Amino acid sequence: MFQTLSCVCIVWGHETIEKTQDIRMLTRRTVLEGLACLSAAAPLNAVARSRHPTHHSPAASTLHAPAVHRNAAPPKPLVMLDPGHGGKDPGAIGVSGTYEKHIAEAAATELQRQLLASGQYRVAMTRSEDRFIPLEGRVELAQHHQAHLFISMHADALHDRDVRGASVYTLSSGASDAQTAALAQKENSADRFGGPAFHGMSPDVQQILSSLVSEETRRGSAHMASSVVGAFRNRIGLLTHPSRHAAFVVLKSAEIPSVLVEMGFMSNRLDEAALRQAVHRTQVASAMKTAVDRYFSAQHGLMTG
């Protein structure tokens, strides 16, 4: 993830690096170490001396940089979970009246519990209550938290009530099939609940969404989608060709691998009945945790291999 530091002097041991342009490809740990060194720079010492000019010994008036533990474990990856819809946007309404927004929140909360229980991840939620968040706001929350992975969770509806099964979607300028195109159009229209203050993107802009996403992010998204399909297989019913793509606004972060998981379709009586059951949602969450484990295991292998 790029960090922009302007006119910054980073004191690094005995070396001083001055840059007035974007500093790219710095790891978060590198940036934090640099900022720690900055906190011990001369201007701060000058402030301390001006406040206490004569009453402290030289040792007491000197600020020292905090120790940097170079062998400390890196921070746990942060997974951003995004329960679809919420508030005045109910999402799909099932054949027996179940709201998608409630199913999405319940499943995401269970996945959050399982991920935290493993001790391997940090987890943030775009919403943990029944409230409306615009699609752009969901992306911004993931970027604000500097998430390593973004998972949007849904249970939509189709015109064909016979279609059932889970599926996973990644971002593309064009849809993989007509059903996915219709699904993306419906999901992208969620911001109609935001009123006139929020303006959705034009079709022309949607057509170039995929160009905003880096190749690395695209590969990460595709790998996570493959991990979801593999984890669901033989555990959770899947659509035919379950890995699909379309111009989903909520997946448009250029920096964070992102997938949208349809846990089933509320328009299908069997899918709706299953998703209403806590035991089934626990199974879905367990499969998704397996997918997250596989994703980060592979990412760690790429970084250390």
Side-chain angles (χ1 to χ4, degrees), residues 211-226:
S211 69
L212 302 177
V213 182
S214 72
E215 183 60 31
E216 181 180 1
T217 302
R218 202 177 338 230
R219 286 197 301 267
S221 300
H223 182 258
M224 180 57 191
S226 176

Side-chain angles (χ1 to χ4, degrees), residues 10-17 33-34 36-38 65 68 70:
I10 300 179
V11 180
W12 202 270
H14 298 292
E15 298 180 1
T16 300
I17 305 172
E33 290 175 358
C37 292
L38 279 174
V68 176
R70 297 188 179 278

Side-chain angles (χ1 to χ4, degrees), residues 155-298:
D156 219 299
L158 299 172
H159 290 299
D160 187 349
R161 296 192 173 190
D162 291 331
V163 177
R164 65 173 307 207
S167 48
V168 59
Y169 302 83
T170 54
L171 179 69
S172 173
S173 59
S176 53
D177 55 88
Q179 177 179 297
T180 302
L183 193 63
Q185 183 177 19
K186 179 183 294 185
E187 289 296 343
N188 291 346
S189 71
D191 282 324
R192 69 189 184 278
F193 292 96
F198 184 88
H199 301 282
M201 287 180 291
S202 69
D204 289 340
V205 174
Q206 292 183 21
Q207 286 298 312
I208 63 171
L209 279 176
S210 62
S211 69
L212 302 177
V213 182
S214 72
E215 183 60 31
E216 181 180 1
T217 302
R218 202 177 338 230
R219 286 197 301 267
S221 300
H223 182 258
M224 180 57 191
S226 176
S227 296
V228 171
V229 171
F232 275 32
R233 200 176 302 280
N234 300 324
R235 298 168 70 179
I236 307 295
L238 289 166
L239 289 181
T240 304
H241 309 300
S243 186
R244 307 184 180 200
H245 55 264
F248 290 94
V249 172
V250 78
L251 302 181
K252 81 181 190 76
S253 173
E255 302 140 348
I256 306 169
S258 305
V259 296
L260 186 152
V261 177
E262 289 284 357
M263 299 174 286
F265 292 102
M266 303 297 284
S267 47
N268 180 273
R269 188 174 299 277
L270 294 176
D271 270 0
E272 182 202 28
L275 288 167
R276 286 171 59 93
Q277 302 300 315
V279 64
H280 179 76
R281 293 194 301 270
T282 299
Q283 292 172 346
V284 170
S286 177
M288 291 182 66
K289 179 190 173 296
T290 297
V292 172
D293 289 342
R294 291 177 180 175
Y295 171 80
F296 282 110
S297 177

